[in-house]
């Protein structure tokens, strides 16, 4: 699809319906119309709230706690410097995505950008691949967050019972399932307040962060580790070389700071999206980079130097043992309770973000049952109700793999890393390789540094994909310690491409125009044609409520050459 330059009069014409129904302001609706979409979701999110949904999904301290098993084996220096360096490179990825998000803010941004920038021969297949990788990556993120919640919730019970009880896999899954279902109910019922709730979620995150920064050093007074131990002492509890054990520690920030694309998926619910999206991305990454580094320093200063005992704690969570050592039983229960509450809020936010990507992809007809998934529920506040529950059901089914064992669970959760890395990297690559001349910057733009930043982001994402597929404990893994990320993700990527070439290539032609005939201006049509696009008037469309309507859709098919 093409972004066109239309007059202010024509913009008002294209966005008139959205403004009259109160879904969006004139500029936002006109911007979306230039991308070919009519406004269907209500723009309830301010810039701060867009930042909030990304930051609350990242759930800084709960995520660090969930991934200490990657960091602690590299020693305190691996924990501290691994976080700092990986976060720096993630910020480059955020800058590259912010350039795109400001220029073309739409809920399906990643696969939309891929289709817009890629070559005519590859754009459909790559867009299809990115859409599936991103959708399943977000659902994998929901699985991993809610599974982490179940472990934290149950760790409180274990602490209360002095480590004399251990939950079975069935109990862990039952708590996981209850959590996923609660998120589905809340994402469906409190949608009108979801933007405002993000401010509350951010506040809860910072309360937990500052409580930990203050409480741990006080609790470990007289037992704190010195600066040399914190910043200069490496370790290696793996059978990899020490240098590679340090690189494995990067998986903690890579997994934690992995939800900034949620700002893109909220584009069509954000006011002043061309600024809210890029600044939401950078503010969320920057906050996690800074406060995450501070937390890592505090944890390294206050944790026991017996790293093996931390990893093998009977509480099931190294962070629970760190709290217990510093604050005692009651203090550990209190802090872990606050931790799993924040983790629960993370899951709610990613349910919302995943549903918006799913809805956008189904709007373009790419998912099975798209005609049902893409329906917008007006009564509940113009939300993609069916898409929410599609994500919930898919997460519940994927979660069944956790019953097999930790290796299978980790493989499912790896979708949140490798799957999203592919989804982020391909549109950035497509822009600098094929589409740089087509790129028209938005209000946020990194200027002459934009292309070098993009290449740094691409190289880092490729490295992150490879890193996520290594066994974390060392070479020659057993069936229990094997990293099945390569199996799961190759299944997703191979399955998506096989589906495309065997069937979807016959009907998937990329993002579609959803504006009705009277909303698409003549100048828009001319500009689309100048981009090498053939406009095909086709079929009937579903109305916002899901009933068949009389609007004439104009689907865009990219010219093959």
């Amino acid at each position: 699809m093409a972004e066109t330059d239309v007059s202010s009069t024509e913009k008002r014409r294209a966005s008139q319906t959205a403004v009259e129904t109160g879904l969006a302001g004139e500029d936002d609706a006109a911007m979306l119309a230039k991308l070919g979409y009519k406004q269907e979701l209500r723009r309830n999110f301010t810039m701060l709230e867009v930042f909030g949904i990304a930051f609350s999904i990242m759930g800084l301290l709960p995520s660090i706690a969930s991934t200490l098993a990657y960091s602690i084996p590299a020693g305190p220096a691996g924990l501290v410097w691994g976080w700092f360096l990986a976060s720096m490179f993630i910020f480059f990825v955020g800058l590259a995505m912010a350039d795109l998000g400001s220029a073309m803010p739409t809920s399906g941004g990643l696969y939309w950008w891929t289709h817009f920038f890629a070559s005519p021969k590859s754009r459909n297949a790559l867009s299809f691949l990115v859409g599936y990788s991103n959708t399943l990556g977000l659902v994998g993120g929901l699985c991993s967050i809610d599974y982490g919640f179940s472990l934290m919730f149950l760790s409180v019970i274990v602490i209360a019972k002095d480590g004399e009880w251990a939950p079975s896999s069935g109990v862990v899954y039952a708590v996981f399932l209850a959590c996923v279902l609660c998120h589905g109910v809340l994402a469906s019922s409190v949608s009108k307040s979801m933007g405002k709730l993000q401010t509350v979620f951010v506040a809860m995150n910072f309360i937990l962060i500052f409580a930990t920064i203050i409480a741990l050093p006080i609790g470990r007074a007289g037992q704190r580790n010195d600066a040399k131990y914190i910043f200069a002492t490496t370790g290696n509890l793996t059978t990899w070389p020490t240098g590679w054990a340090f690189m494995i520690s990067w998986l903690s920030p890579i997994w934690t700071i992995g939800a900034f694309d949620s700002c893109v998926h909220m584009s069509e619910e954000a006011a002043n999206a061309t600024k809210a999206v890029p600044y939401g991305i950078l503010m969320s990454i920057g906050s996690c980079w800074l406060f995450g580094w501070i937390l890592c320093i505090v944890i390294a200063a206050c944790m026991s130097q017996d790293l093996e005992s931390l990893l093998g704690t009977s509480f099931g969570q190294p962070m629970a043992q760190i709290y217990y050592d510093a604050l005692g039983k009651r203090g550990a229960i209190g802090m872990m309770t606050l931790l799993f509450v924040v983790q629960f809020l993370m899951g709610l936010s990613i349910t919302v973000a995943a549903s918006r990507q799913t809805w956008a992809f189904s709007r373009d007809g790419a998912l099975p049952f798209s005609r049902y998934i893409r329906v917008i529920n007006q009564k509940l506040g113009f939300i993609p109700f069916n898409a929410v529950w599609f994500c919930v059901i898919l997460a519940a089914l994927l979660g069944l793999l956790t019953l097999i064992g930790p290796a299978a669970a980790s493989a499912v959760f790896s979708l949140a890393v490798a799957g999203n890395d592919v989804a982020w990297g391909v549109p950035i690559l497509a822009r600098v390789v094929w589409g740089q001349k087509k790129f028209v910057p938005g209000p946020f733009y990194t200027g002459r540094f934009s292309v070098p930043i993009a290449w740094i982001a691409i190289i880092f994402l490729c490295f992150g994909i490879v890193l996520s597929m290594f066994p974390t404990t060392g070479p020659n893994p057993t069936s229990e310690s094997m990293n099945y990320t390569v199996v799961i993700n190759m299944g997703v990527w191979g399955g998506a491409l096989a589906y495309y070439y065997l069937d979807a290539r016959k009907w998937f032609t990329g993002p579609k125009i959803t504006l009705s005939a009277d909303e698409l201006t003549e100048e828009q049509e001319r500009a689309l044609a100048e981009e090498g696009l053939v406009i095909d008037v086709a079929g009937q469309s579903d109305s916002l409520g899901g009933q068949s309507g009389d609007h004439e859709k104009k689907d865009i098919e990219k010219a093959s050459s």
Side-chain angles (χ1 to χ4, degrees), residues 110 133-135 137-138 258 261 415-425 461:
L110 300 177
S133 190
N134 191 210
T135 302
L138 286 166
D261 65 312
L415 286 171
V417 177
N420 279 327
D421 280 0
V422 166
W424 302 338
L461 289 171

Side-chain angles (χ1 to χ4, degrees), residues 45 49-57 198 262-263 266 349 352-353:
F45 286 73
E49 290 161 355
V50 170
F51 152 75
I53 198 166
F55 187 74
S56 60
I57 291 173
Q198 298 311 311
S262 60
C263 298
M266 303 308 295
S349 293
V352 173

Side-chain angles (χ1 to χ4, degrees), residues 244-261:
W244 193 247
F246 175 77
M247 302 310 300
I248 293 291
S249 72
W250 288 31
L251 287 173
S252 176
I254 287 173
W255 188 86
T256 300
I257 314 176
F260 49 88
D261 65 312

